Amino acid sequence: MAKRSRAAGRSTGKTVPGVVEVPKGTRPDGPVEGIYYIDTGDCELIADQDNSTGWLLRINGVMSSHIDLADPLFLDFEYMRWISALAESRWSRETGPRLRALHLGGGACSLARYFHAAYPEARQVVVELDGKLAGYVRGWFDLPKAPLMRLRVGEAREVTENLTPHTRDLIIRDVFAGSMTPRPLTTREFNQHAKRVLAPGGIYVVNSGDGPDLRNAREDAATIADTFEHTVIIADPAMLKGRRYGNMVMAGSDLPFDDDPQLARRLLGGAVPAHIWNDAKVRAFAAGAPVRHDPPAPPTPQTTQTPQIPSSAP
């Protein structure tokens, strides 16, 4: 679930054309507006009527991504701008670090394109469940090539569990089935896998969607706080007060998140001004919410031996 910038004020305008047929075994040669059948349902590629190089991607009826082919540093979705600001607060672009990023959830690869432009030496892996969608995105958009960016088809948890420890600086969880993240990607056990994969000083950041009751957000925050020593939340004030549906960015790390006044100013200066909560506020927000866990493993069936009947003496 993604909210676009209110200040952008963009409209998709005309009605989206019908289904676009792509011959089996081929990829689109650039973006073409329309509806495409994918492995998990369908997606719509919509031209941004206020930006000649902008495109919107809607997956199974839910707005997923915006991409500007001419400017990879332009992020239309506010939560993506918050994630990029948080990352740049820890890893300055001026120092040119070789950032190692894992994106769980592909969409249009908007953030991967952003980090490639911001950190040209970055090495990134984007995990996308839908293989047909991944192929379309490769054909529609100008994505970095391997080894700078690898688009890997797979299930996010399975991929994460099989990664080598301490091999990623940044892990971004941005996976949705409809308006919610699949539960197996929200448990403490999964967070522990992400923590194991992170290098010292790394950041695990999630896009947590919720409504006014904030139940999902509190449980997400409680689970991240139970896994990581240091946490933050970034969101706009209306979302933090439970006044609307929207997105919160939550993050955990083994190192404190610095009280960075430049980051706070950057968040307040966006089209949708956002506040950042420190670890103490995150833990107060999550107080009383349950920590999510994987379901218990089913009991192993017990084998029983057939009683042996002694043979009678002759």
Side-chain angles (χ1 to χ4, degrees):
M1 178 172 65
K3 299 283 287 184
R4 301 188 71 201
S5 167
R6 297 175 204 155
R10 305 182 198 277
S11 168
T12 59
K14 59 186 179 183
T15 304
V16 175
V19 174
V20 177
E21 297 290 346
V22 179
K24 188 175 181 180
T26 66
R27 288 178 180 170
D29 185 16
V32 175
E33 208 173 19
I35 299 171
Y36 296 76
Y37 292 129
I38 55 178
D39 293 333
T40 57
D42 62 66
C43 67
E44 299 176 14
L45 189 61
I46 308 166
D48 187 337
Q49 297 303 300
D50 292 336
N51 180 352
S52 62
T53 57
W55 292 89
L56 285 155
L57 180 62
R58 193 197 320 267
I59 300 175
N60 294 321
V62 178
M63 195 62 74
S64 165
S65 309
H66 177 277
I67 201 163
D68 186 333
L69 291 176
D71 184 6
L73 291 174
F74 175 75
L75 296 173
D76 194 42
F77 289 176
E78 60 240 28
Y79 83 88
M80 293 187 182
R81 293 199 295 271
W82 301 339
I83 291 173
S84 65
L86 182 64
E88 289 170 25
S89 177
R90 177 153 298 186
W91 299 288
S92 169
R93 289 166 56 177
E94 283 69 29
T95 61
R98 187 174 174 176
L99 192 67
R100 299 167 298 173
L102 173 67
H103 303 258
L104 303 178
C109 297
S110 307
L111 273 174
R113 288 180 79 245
Y114 179 94
F115 284 120
H116 172 68
Y119 304 95
E121 297 299 316
R123 296 293 186 269
Q124 302 183 82
V125 174
V126 180
V127 181
E128 171 55 55
L129 179 66
D130 194 301
K132 190 170 286 188
L133 175 62
Y136 286 157
V137 168
R138 272 287 187 201
W140 289 332
F141 307 129
D142 181 24
L143 299 182
K145 302 296 190 294
L148 297 176
M149 198 203 89
R150 301 180 188 273
L151 185 50
R152 179 171 176 177
V153 176
E155 193 277 318
R157 177 155 180 166
E158 181 180 356
V159 171
T160 306
E161 287 180 357
N162 286 285
L163 291 175
T164 304
H166 314 309
T167 55
R168 299 295 185 275
D169 303 302
L170 177 65
I171 299 176
I172 299 171
R173 188 202 81 190
D174 192 12
V175 181
F176 285 87
S179 61
M180 300 298 291
T181 300
R183 187 178 177 88
L185 298 177
T186 69
T187 65
R188 190 183 192 282
E189 289 75 14
F190 175 72
N191 286 357
Q192 285 284 73
H193 286 297
K195 183 177 181 179
R196 174 187 59 82
V197 172
L198 284 174
I203 297 177
Y204 175 59
V205 58
V206 310
N207 174 22
S208 181
D210 207 357
D213 67 2
L214 297 180
R215 177 180 175 181
N216 178 66
R218 292 182 193 279
E219 291 185 7
D220 247 350
T223 307
I224 292 171
D226 194 60
T227 310
F228 293 92
E229 186 175 355
H230 305 282
T231 62
V232 292
I233 286 179
I234 300 172
D236 69 90
M239 187 67 198
L240 293 169
K241 293 175 182 178
R243 293 178 179 172
R244 68 173 182 90
Y245 291 88
N247 304 78
M248 288 187 182
V249 167
M250 304 181 182
S253 179
D254 64 334
L255 290 182
F257 292 92
D258 294 335
D259 185 12
D260 182 354
Q262 185 175 349
L263 172 61
R265 286 193 298 270
R266 182 172 172 181
L267 295 172
L268 284 172
V272 180
H275 291 174
I276 182 167
W277 279 356
N278 62 19
D279 186 75
K281 287 186 176 180
V282 173
R283 293 178 189 277
F285 172 75
V291 173
R292 294 195 187 105
H293 286 278
D294 289 348
T300 304
Q302 297 294 319
T303 58
T304 57
Q305 290 184 335
T306 305
Q308 300 294 315
I309 301 175
S311 59
S312 54

